[in-house]
Amino acid sequence: MSDDKLVKRQGNFSRALRGEEPFVIGAVLQRAWEITVRSLPIMLPLMIAYFLIAMVLNSLFLPVPEGMTMFEVMLDPELQSDNEWIGIVTQIILAPLWGGLTLLGILNANDDKLTFSAALSVLQRSFQVMAVTFFRIALPAVITFLAFMSIGQFSPSAAGAIGIIALIIINITFMLAIPLVVHRQTSVFKSIMGSVLVLRRYFWRVLGLVIIMSIIVIISALPLFLGLLFTLPMMFNLTGVVYISLLGDHDQQESEPVITEGQDEVTPPVNNETHNE
């Protein structure tokens, strides 16, 4: 599934921990853009399934006022804000399917073959993927709650700002946690710690990348949402490119990273295989 026109850059986990892996926003975006078309036959059906299941779950939990359709309810910000817990539960339930799409993005970025069976294999690690998703959602909520409890009565705006900052930091630094779970099959703790320790070195560049990608998605949604058929799969491919560019393919270098308690790094285990960088 390789293409000589596409340049795949293999990163290295140890170098990424030290912030030594090159990371150019433009190159990452271009790579994700170029490899997205070939992933559409596999990714689009899974994404359609994701949204259909999400609609079914919302219809089961979300109250529909008389005279309104489910689609109208899902597009109503006021009704959505009153039932935010439904969206959170839906995200956690559908996390394994999200993880399957994430794995496809990694395989595509690594020029590997994409199959439905590869995506569905993530179901074997459903608990781990759901746990990472839960922590990614719960931690900002807890921090926001504590901020309002401590300083909210004096400065609600400051408490809200703390919550937004926590949401941004956690979502950026957790970006590689699910990829580590589904690709290297590391534990929840090791995946979260590995992602945080690596991405703290690349935080501002990844944040810039996410902002640019968000703008692209918003623009693509304007003409009848048709552009989302391309840009939503591109999001998963972008995550895959970031993962491969920074951490590389564990089959070609070190295997599972080991978090050593009390150390501010992740040390790959020693193996007898020759590592070709």
Side-chain angles (χ1 to χ4, degrees):
M1 190 170 181
S2 62
D3 189 332
D4 294 337
K5 295 181 181 179
L6 303 178
V7 180
K8 178 184 70 175
R9 191 189 181 288
Q10 282 277 359
N12 178 274
F13 197 99
S14 297
R15 290 197 301 266
L17 279 170
R18 300 189 295 269
E20 296 173 358
E21 282 292 348
F23 188 89
V24 181
I25 292 177
V28 172
L29 273 172
Q30 182 179 2
R31 168 72 174 161
W33 178 273
E34 290 175 340
I35 66 175
T36 294
V37 172
R38 68 188 188 188
S39 69
L40 295 181
I42 302 295
M43 280 192 170
L44 279 180
L46 292 174
M47 293 197 67
I48 292 172
Y50 181 95
F51 288 113
L52 288 177
I53 296 172
M55 291 182 65
V56 171
L57 292 175
N58 282 329
S59 66
L60 294 176
F61 298 116
L62 189 64
V64 180
E66 187 176 352
M68 294 184 68
T69 65
M70 172 55 64
F71 185 73
E72 291 172 331
V73 171
M74 293 179 65
L75 294 179
D76 192 315
E78 184 176 348
L79 290 174
Q80 290 294 320
S81 62
D82 293 337
N83 298 275
E84 290 182 357
W85 67 272
I86 296 175
I88 294 173
V89 171
T90 299
Q91 285 186 59
I92 295 175
I93 293 175
L94 289 176
L97 184 51
W98 187 275
L101 287 162
T102 300
L103 179 59
L104 290 180
I106 295 171
L107 296 176
N108 195 28
N110 202 40
D111 290 336
D112 294 328
K113 184 179 180 180
L114 303 186
T115 62
F116 288 110
S117 60
L120 295 177
S121 68
V122 175
L123 294 176
Q124 299 175 5
R125 298 187 61 79
S126 294
F127 173 79
Q128 291 86 345
V129 177
M130 294 170 74
V132 171
T133 303
F134 171 78
F135 285 118
R136 179 181 59 80
I137 296 172
L139 287 178
V142 170
I143 293 173
T144 302
F145 174 77
L146 293 176
F148 274 99
M149 288 293 293
S150 58
I151 65 172
Q153 57 181 335
F154 306 107
S155 179
S157 58
I162 291 174
I164 293 174
I165 292 172
L167 179 67
I168 294 172
I169 292 175
I170 290 172
N171 275 277
I172 294 297
T173 56
F174 276 44
M175 183 178 180
L176 297 181
I178 288 180
L180 283 168
V181 167
V182 300
H183 189 247
R184 300 200 182 196
Q185 299 188 0
T186 54
S187 67
V188 173
F189 174 76
K190 291 178 182 178
S191 298
I192 292 174
M193 289 302 298
S195 179
V196 171
L197 291 175
V198 168
L199 291 182
R200 63 173 187 162
R201 304 283 188 181
Y202 300 89
F203 178 83
W204 295 109
R205 279 174 283 181
V206 174
L207 176 60
L209 184 67
V210 170
I211 291 173
I212 293 173
M213 189 66 219
S214 299
I215 294 173
I216 293 174
V217 170
I218 292 172
I219 293 174
S220 70
L222 295 179
L224 302 175
F225 300 98
L226 295 179
L228 295 178
L229 296 176
F230 184 88
T231 54
L232 290 182
M234 182 180 170
M235 289 172 55
F236 293 100
N237 288 304
L238 185 68
T239 300
V241 173
V242 172
Y243 176 87
I244 292 297
S245 297
L246 291 179
L247 306 186
D249 181 1
H250 73 297
D251 290 334
Q252 297 180 13
Q253 48 178 291
E254 299 86 2
S255 57
E256 179 181 348
V258 176
I259 306 292
T260 304
E261 187 176 357
Q263 294 184 0
D264 191 20
E265 63 175 311
V266 181
T267 306
V270 178
N271 56 39
N272 297 322
E273 296 181 2
T274 302
H275 172 211
N276 297 321
E277 296 182 6

